[in-house]
Amino acid sequence: MGKHDDYRHEHHRSNCDCDHDDIHHSYDHKPKPADQSCSVANVRTFGSAMSETTYPKTIKVPVTLAEPSVIVCVEAEVRLEKPALEIKRVLKSVILEQCELVNTFDPHKAKLFVRGFIRKNIEYATVDTASDRTVCGDIRHTTALIPFDFCTDLTFPTAGPTLQLAPDFSSSGQLLDCTGHGAQLNAALLGNRQVYNNKPYCQLVFAEFTELDIGRHLKTVNCYEKTFSVLQEKIVMKLGLKVLQEQQVPIPTHCPPPPPPPPFHCPKK
């Protein structure tokens, strides 16, 4: 190995700190040719025949697939900011985070996965001062988000609207070689078909609650009153849901009834 070769090798390992006018530097850093392993070439587009198809008058609207009512039991503990003497008022509402429909092996049945939370606002009385016969305090509130999730079965009526979720279809075939004794390995017949439908979705129709609230961690205020700082919730919730999907529905056409006959008048004598 010569002197210039040693210099060029040392230069390649020094991250190009020398002068860029050096001939050996220019030789070592020639741009590499672009990689042609992933490319698209020789593309041709062929014309296609256009044909018009006449369809009956239709409209694309949300179609109700099912209206289930589900009962869910939820248990949780809510820690209050200050010890409470009693609960004054409780307001609850439901917010859904997920409502997904998954079809099963039966075309008339599906599974509905639902997840959300109960937004519960608790108003309660606190204790600031107390004597043997009086208790004084403020009215405070705590808003808690209690999560829930469940899965329920859905059954679609056979006579009504059905779920439109057609699976993908694919096929393949082989051609015979020139001898007719085997497949032609460098050619194949491939086909595939995909059906695109609108995704089903849910709407919350109503929510009903019955509950049992139990105060925990009791502390004595006077001879008759006690406070609690933890509220144990036992909630029975009934949810009304509606499962819909946008589908193509024919517009009903009704022929107008014939006009009534003219009134009959007796001829005058």
Side-chain angles (χ1 to χ4, degrees), residues 70-91:
V70 186
I71 295 179
V72 185
C73 298
V74 183
E75 186 174 7
E77 289 187 353
V78 178
R79 184 172 298 276
L80 304 177
E81 182 184 11
K82 292 184 64 176
L85 181 68
E86 62 178 346
I87 302 297
K88 290 296 186 181
R89 186 173 60 170
V90 176
L91 298 177

Side-chain angles (χ1 to χ4, degrees), residues 45-62:
T45 303
F46 298 89
S48 59
M50 301 297 295
S51 60
E52 296 183 359
T53 305
T54 303
Y55 294 95
K57 292 183 178 180
T58 59
I59 185 173
K60 195 169 187 179
V61 294

Side-chain angles (χ1 to χ4, degrees), residues 239-259:
L239 292 180
L241 302 173
K242 182 178 289 188
V243 183
L244 305 102
Q245 184 185 31
E246 289 192 2
Q247 297 182 6
Q248 203 83 358
V249 178
I251 300 177
T253 57
H254 300 283
C255 297

Side-chain angles (χ1 to χ4, degrees), residues 76-80 87 90 120 122 211-216 228-233:
E77 289 187 353
V78 178
R79 184 172 298 276
L80 304 177
I87 302 297
V90 176
K120 185 171 183 178
I122 306 169
E211 64 179 295
L212 174 64
D213 295 342
I214 305 173
R216 302 295 188 187
F228 54 90
S229 57
V230 174
L231 195 62
Q232 187 176 15
E233 308 278 346

Side-chain angles (χ1 to χ4, degrees), residues 2-268:
K3 179 178 180 181
H4 292 287
D5 294 333
D6 293 338
Y7 173 79
R8 183 170 58 186
H9 181 69
E10 292 284 335
H11 166 71
H12 178 69
R13 299 173 59 182
S14 60
N15 296 327
C16 302
D17 292 334
C18 62
D19 190 1
H20 285 265
D21 294 334
D22 189 89
I23 186 171
H24 302 299
H25 175 271
S26 301
Y27 176 80
D28 286 346
H29 291 269
K30 287 184 178 180
K32 295 182 179 180
D35 188 7
Q36 301 295 331
S37 60
C38 296
S39 62
V40 178
N42 299 328
V43 178
R44 291 195 301 166
T45 303
F46 298 89
S48 59
M50 301 297 295
S51 60
E52 296 183 359
T53 305
T54 303
Y55 294 95
K57 292 183 178 180
T58 59
I59 185 173
K60 195 169 187 179
V61 294
V63 175
T64 301
L65 301 179
E67 294 189 42
S69 296
V70 186
I71 295 179
V72 185
C73 298
V74 183
E75 186 174 7
E77 289 187 353
V78 178
R79 184 172 298 276
L80 304 177
E81 182 184 11
K82 292 184 64 176
L85 181 68
E86 62 178 346
I87 302 297
K88 290 296 186 181
R89 186 173 60 170
V90 176
L91 298 177
K92 296 178 291 298
S93 61
V94 172
I95 299 177
L96 297 182
E97 295 181 306
Q98 171 187 283
C99 189
E100 299 291 346
L101 189 68
V102 180
N103 58 331
T104 60
F105 305 102
D106 190 336
H108 297 286
K109 294 184 179 181
K111 297 284 188 179
L112 187 65
F113 292 82
V114 180
R115 185 180 70 238
F117 57 86
I118 303 171
R119 185 182 184 274
K120 185 171 183 178
N121 183 267
I122 306 169
E123 295 181 5
Y124 59 96
T126 62
V127 177
D128 291 335
T129 60
S131 63
D132 293 340
R133 296 186 180 275
T134 60
V135 176
C136 299
D138 298 329
I139 300 296
R140 305 180 69 87
H141 81 92
T142 295
T143 300
L145 302 180
I146 304 174
F148 66 88
D149 63 275
F150 63 88
C151 176
T152 184
D153 295 324
L154 292 183
T155 301
F156 306 114
T158 56
T162 58
L163 180 65
Q164 295 182 358
L165 290 178
D168 298 339
F169 169 79
S170 61
S171 63
S172 62
Q174 295 289 338
L175 301 176
L176 285 174
D177 59 8
C178 58
T179 64
H181 296 162
Q184 186 177 350
L185 299 181
N186 63 339
L189 297 175
L190 303 174
N192 123 246
R193 178 176 180 265
Q194 291 181 334
V195 179
Y196 300 97
N197 292 302
N198 289 87
K199 182 181 178 181
Y201 61 95
C202 296
Q203 287 183 352
L204 183 61
V205 181
F206 66 88
E208 297 178 1
F209 304 91
T210 59
E211 64 179 295
L212 174 64
D213 295 342
I214 305 173
R216 302 295 188 187
H217 300 180
L218 301 179
K219 291 184 178 180
T220 301
V221 176
N222 54 27
C223 298
Y224 304 99
E225 304 291 347
K226 294 182 179 181
T227 61
F228 54 90
S229 57
V230 174
L231 195 62
Q232 187 176 15
E233 308 278 346
K234 297 181 183 294
I235 304 173
V236 178
M237 176 178 60
K238 184 177 182 180
L239 292 180
L241 302 173
K242 182 178 289 188
V243 183
L244 305 102
Q245 184 185 31
E246 289 192 2
Q247 297 182 6
Q248 203 83 358
V249 178
I251 300 177
T253 57
H254 300 283
C255 297
F264 177 77
H265 299 282
C266 295
K268 293 182 181 180

